[in-house]
Amino acid sequence: MAKSIVKILGLLLVSALSSVVYTQSNPFRPPAIPLVTCDPYFSIWSFADHPANDWPRHWTGANHALCNLIRIDGKCYRLVGRAPNNLPAMTLKSLSVLPTRTIYEFADAGVQLTLTFLTPLLPHDLNLIARPVTYVSWQVKSTDGKDHAACLYFDSSAELVVNTSGQKVTWSRCQNDDLDILRIGSQEQPILQKSGDDLRIDWGYFYLVSPKSQHGASVITGHHYSRNSFVQFGALPTSDDLRTPRQAHDDWPVLAYAIDLGSVGSQPVERYLVLAYDDEFSIQYFYRNLRPYWKATGMTTEELLRTAVREYGSLSSRCEQFDEELMADMRRIGGDQYAQLGALAYRQAIAAHKLTADIDGTPLLFPKENFSNGCIATVDVIYPTAPIFLLFNVDLLKATVTPVFQYASMKRWSFPFAPHDLGTYPHANGQVYGGGEVSEENQMPVEECGNMLILAYAIARAEGTAEYASRYWSSLEKWARYLKEKGLDPENQLCTDDFAGHLAHNVNLSLKAILALGSYSKLCGMLGKKMEADEYWKTAQKFARQWGQMANDGDHYRLAFDKPGTWSQKYNLVWDRLLDLTLFPKDIARKEIQFYKSKENQFGLPLDNRKDYTKLDWLVWTATLAESKEDFESMISKAYAFADQTPNRVPLTDWYDTKTAKRVGFQARSVVGGVFIKMLSDLDTWKKWSDRRRK
């Protein structure tokens, strides 16, 4: 209880600090701003409007302190972090959150400063997207016609390498001709020993790196000593603190750099640092410890850091081009507000995964159910996330479903339906949800079978071949038989919206089963199984006709077949058009969209008639059913308003109240990748982005 009270007080403090308002050229106020976004452990955000109003935090809310100062003509200002608290914060003029970059613009004392956090998550290159690297860079120039003496300070705390601040840390320097490398990690190094939800990494090593060509000074020492020395003298202490190991909260050791920019005039002066984390082993997969994918070819940590520095210039340019093109496409297809939601969702969706390599080099991508239940490789999390990978790189989608297919092929999975998960992150050792591997209690049989069949066909459509599906045909065939028997009118069971409880005769779940049967039929056809394709297509068509009769409630379709006067979002229907199945008449979507207009609240359409909450991913899927851009943008505007006005300053939640904009639960989850489903509705755009994977 005491721990919970402390946590609540901490979140209230964040909320109070975040209430400071500043003038922005872009009026959108993200609930939290992505800074470092590499994977579920190396994930740091600003929960405040001004990054100096609070310490940066891990997505769970725990402090992951970064401190950034600038000294202009002898006077110091805070850019990031709350200390030293006697210094003024530099005036923040604007904030831009783009798919791969967060850009802050500051101005004071005749100087303009651009601070950029760049995580190069360019999705067509698996080696790059797996790289645990974020760049922090500065551009500084004079704006008053005068030259100014300027110096930058940046430090990172020992909090980045421990789960709790009482754990001991140790640090060192690495010798390199070209790079100044600082390293810190826990003393104990309990590699992959802990599993759970509200956890931080406490193994591996964090690196803070500067090219020696920048002529910066560095030190590893206590936080007060380092920062105060810079503030008072414009320089760092001359020697490292040798009192190691010690607890992380014992005079908070920091890795610190100071970079003297000299006399800054009207021409921008740029400097940067590299933040990297080598976890050494990332995931335990059926009791085998898997290395991160970037190490699959034998790359060492030193090579990683050298490569990151060498490619900084080219990656900066590539990310700028990527951001500009993607934002333009999102605006064209969904409007300005949709584009802003997509930009905010992009890094979050990818950073909620970890890309590893199996023993033969096969990429395996594992999502974590952040602040849900901590499960790993959850099928009904993979399903809503899938649009971002279908759009940009289907190899990433295959990498998420491959562990599920492999698990389902094992004798230990004895059920006739698909599994729900593979364990609790980072241990993918077997299902833990519901009845686990023991019983059918609290399973999601129709849900997960439907998800896997639809995703298998989506992969085949994207690749133009069903070769991948053929590798796991026995499982797909078994799940199709299950849905043929159980899918039309599901028994009392959970679906992906399990927080709503069990529901029998679920109309939206039935939709998924029917579309999954149609998907299976198409896969059969692609593999030359004509008789089976015809059989399942006729079944899907028959079920679709029956569905229309059973679910019809006059001007809309029901929540459950046996509950007249009810309604729900039919978000699963979107695949009928995206996969060109056309099992259902277009009038169904038209009728639903028209009906939804009368049920919307200030911050969006509720999930169904039972509660006022909604799911952000499903709301965008439902909006994508709309045939007119006006109807789509109208529904999206309410989701945008939620993100802009929610009082909960946390990484984007997907479960919130449509009347208050308050978070109901969840944050920082991968499912916001489902926002990109609208992009799949434009076939030319889908093809343009997905084809780049092959180049």
Side-chain angles (χ1 to χ4, degrees), residues 211-261:
K212 289 183 176 178
S213 60
Q214 293 188 147
H215 304 293
S218 62
V219 72
I220 308 174
T221 191
H223 62 142
H224 286 308
Y225 189 31
S226 179
R227 295 164 190 163
N228 290 339
S229 178
F230 178 81
V231 171
Q232 293 178 26
F233 309 112
L236 298 180
T238 56
S239 62
D240 291 343
D241 190 331
L242 301 181
R243 190 164 61 88
T244 177
R246 69 174 188 249
Q247 290 177 309
H249 59 57
D250 181 357
D251 192 24
W252 294 110
V254 297
L255 313 182
Y257 277 97
I259 305 175
D260 190 349
L261 304 182

Side-chain angles (χ1 to χ4, degrees), residues 196-506:
D197 195 3
D198 192 358
L199 294 177
R200 275 68 48 195
I201 195 168
D202 57 4
W203 73 88
Y205 295 92
F206 170 75
Y207 294 84
L208 188 60
V209 181
S210 174
K212 289 183 176 178
S213 60
Q214 293 188 147
H215 304 293
S218 62
V219 72
I220 308 174
T221 191
H223 62 142
H224 286 308
Y225 189 31
S226 179
R227 295 164 190 163
N228 290 339
S229 178
F230 178 81
V231 171
Q232 293 178 26
F233 309 112
L236 298 180
T238 56
S239 62
D240 291 343
D241 190 331
L242 301 181
R243 190 164 61 88
T244 177
R246 69 174 188 249
Q247 290 177 309
H249 59 57
D250 181 357
D251 192 24
W252 294 110
V254 297
L255 313 182
Y257 277 97
I259 305 175
D260 190 349
L261 304 182
S263 182
V264 174
S266 59
Q267 293 300 309
V269 177
E270 182 174 0
R271 297 290 186 270
Y272 72 95
L273 295 173
V274 174
L275 285 65
Y277 205 112
D278 179 8
D279 59 7
E280 299 190 357
F281 291 95
S282 305
I283 299 291
Q284 187 175 94
Y285 182 52
F286 292 102
Y287 304 99
R288 303 197 318 271
N289 291 350
L290 301 184
R291 292 191 181 275
Y293 187 82
W294 63 270
K295 284 191 169 184
T297 57
M299 177 179 275
T300 65
T301 306
E302 182 179 3
E303 289 169 338
L304 169 76
L305 300 178
R306 283 181 177 274
T307 302
V309 169
R310 184 178 66 250
E311 294 183 355
Y312 168 68
S314 63
L315 287 176
S316 295
S317 297
R318 289 171 61 190
C319 286
E320 182 176 354
Q321 293 170 5
F322 177 85
D323 289 349
E324 289 178 359
E325 184 178 4
L326 179 54
M327 291 299 288
D329 279 352
M330 287 193 293
R331 290 189 188 102
R332 174 175 53 83
I333 290 170
D336 290 343
Q337 293 180 337
Y338 171 72
Q340 189 63 73
L341 280 175
L344 183 59
Y346 182 84
R347 271 175 287 167
Q348 174 175 317
I350 296 175
H353 295 79
K354 186 65 179 183
L355 185 59
T356 65
D358 206 350
I359 193 168
D360 60 356
T362 298
L364 301 177
L365 183 64
F366 295 92
K368 179 182 180 183
E369 279 204 66
N370 291 341
F371 269 20
S372 175
N373 63 2
C375 275
I376 187 171
T378 304
V379 174
D380 57 293
V381 165
I382 294 170
Y383 173 70
T385 304
I388 192 172
F389 298 140
L390 277 173
L391 177 65
F392 294 113
N393 190 344
V394 73
D395 287 338
L396 290 168
L397 180 55
K398 290 194 292 185
T400 63
V401 295
T402 293
V404 180
F405 276 124
Q406 290 181 347
Y407 176 40
S409 300
M410 298 179 183
K411 289 184 178 179
R412 59 187 291 180
W413 185 255
S414 59
F415 301 111
F417 48 79
H420 169 273
D421 65 83
L422 266 67
T424 302
Y425 196 94
H427 295 167
N429 295 326
Q431 180 169 312
V432 295
Y433 185 87
E437 297 178 350
V438 178
S439 77
E440 296 192 19
E441 183 181 2
N442 292 331
Q443 300 275 11
M444 297 185 187
V446 172
E447 172 72 38
E448 310 303 19
C449 288
N451 291 338
M452 293 300 290
L453 286 164
I454 290 170
L455 293 178
Y457 181 50
I459 290 168
R461 289 252 316 167
E463 294 195 305
T465 172
E467 187 277 329
Y468 177 78
S470 70
R471 303 179 203 172
Y472 308 104
W473 195 252
S474 61
S475 291
L476 292 170
E477 187 177 37
K478 178 170 58 177
W479 299 336
R481 287 198 305 267
Y482 186 88
L483 292 184
K484 187 177 180 182
E485 178 184 352
K486 303 281 192 178
L488 173 61
D489 190 6
E491 299 164 343
N492 190 38
Q493 61 190 258
L494 295 170
C495 71
T496 183
D497 306 317
D498 54 355
F499 47 80
H502 289 70
L503 180 66
H505 319 296
N506 187 327

Side-chain angles (χ1 to χ4, degrees), residues 42-237:
F42 197 30
S43 178
I44 306 173
W45 299 68
S46 173
F47 286 25
D49 287 337
H50 192 301
N53 287 348
D54 188 28
W55 291 117
R57 295 171 178 265
H58 186 256
W59 67 261
T60 58
N63 279 359
H64 269 188
L66 306 174
C67 180
N68 186 194
L69 311 174
I70 185 169
R71 186 181 175 96
I72 305 171
D73 299 328
K75 182 178 180 179
C76 284
Y77 299 85
R78 286 181 296 118
L79 301 172
V80 179
R82 294 172 58 191
N85 58 15
N86 61 332
L87 298 181
M90 196 173 190
T91 302
L92 180 59
K93 294 297 186 180
S94 70
L95 163 68
S96 298
V97 176
L98 298 165
T100 66
R101 295 172 296 155
T102 292
I103 304 171
Y104 292 103
E105 295 281 356
F106 302 89
D108 260 322
V111 167
Q112 177 180 312
L113 182 147
T114 302
L115 169 63
T116 302
F117 289 87
L118 182 155
T119 305
L121 296 176
L122 299 175
H124 304 103
D125 184 338
L126 295 190
N127 287 301
L128 183 58
I129 208 168
R131 194 178 292 176
V133 167
T134 288
Y135 301 94
V136 55
S137 66
W138 302 265
Q139 277 194 344
V140 184
K141 68 177 182 179
S142 171
T143 57
D144 63 0
K146 302 176 183 179
D147 290 346
H148 297 276
C151 187
L152 293 165
Y153 173 92
F154 184 89
D155 76 41
S156 57
S157 165
E159 290 163 315
L160 274 66
V161 298
V162 292
N163 180 45
T164 60
S165 62
Q167 292 177 275
K168 290 184 178 181
V169 296
T170 185
W171 53 86
S172 62
R173 291 175 174 270
C174 302
Q175 298 300 316
N176 186 289
D177 292 338
D178 305 314
L179 307 178
D180 189 3
I181 302 172
L182 308 181
R183 185 179 92 156
I184 191 168
S186 70
Q187 179 190 22
E188 186 181 11
Q189 289 294 303
I191 295 175
L192 291 170
Q193 288 184 18
K194 298 180 181 70
S195 64
D197 195 3
D198 192 358
L199 294 177
R200 275 68 48 195
I201 195 168
D202 57 4
W203 73 88
Y205 295 92
F206 170 75
Y207 294 84
L208 188 60
V209 181
S210 174
K212 289 183 176 178
S213 60
Q214 293 188 147
H215 304 293
S218 62
V219 72
I220 308 174
T221 191
H223 62 142
H224 286 308
Y225 189 31
S226 179
R227 295 164 190 163
N228 290 339
S229 178
F230 178 81
V231 171
Q232 293 178 26
F233 309 112
L236 298 180

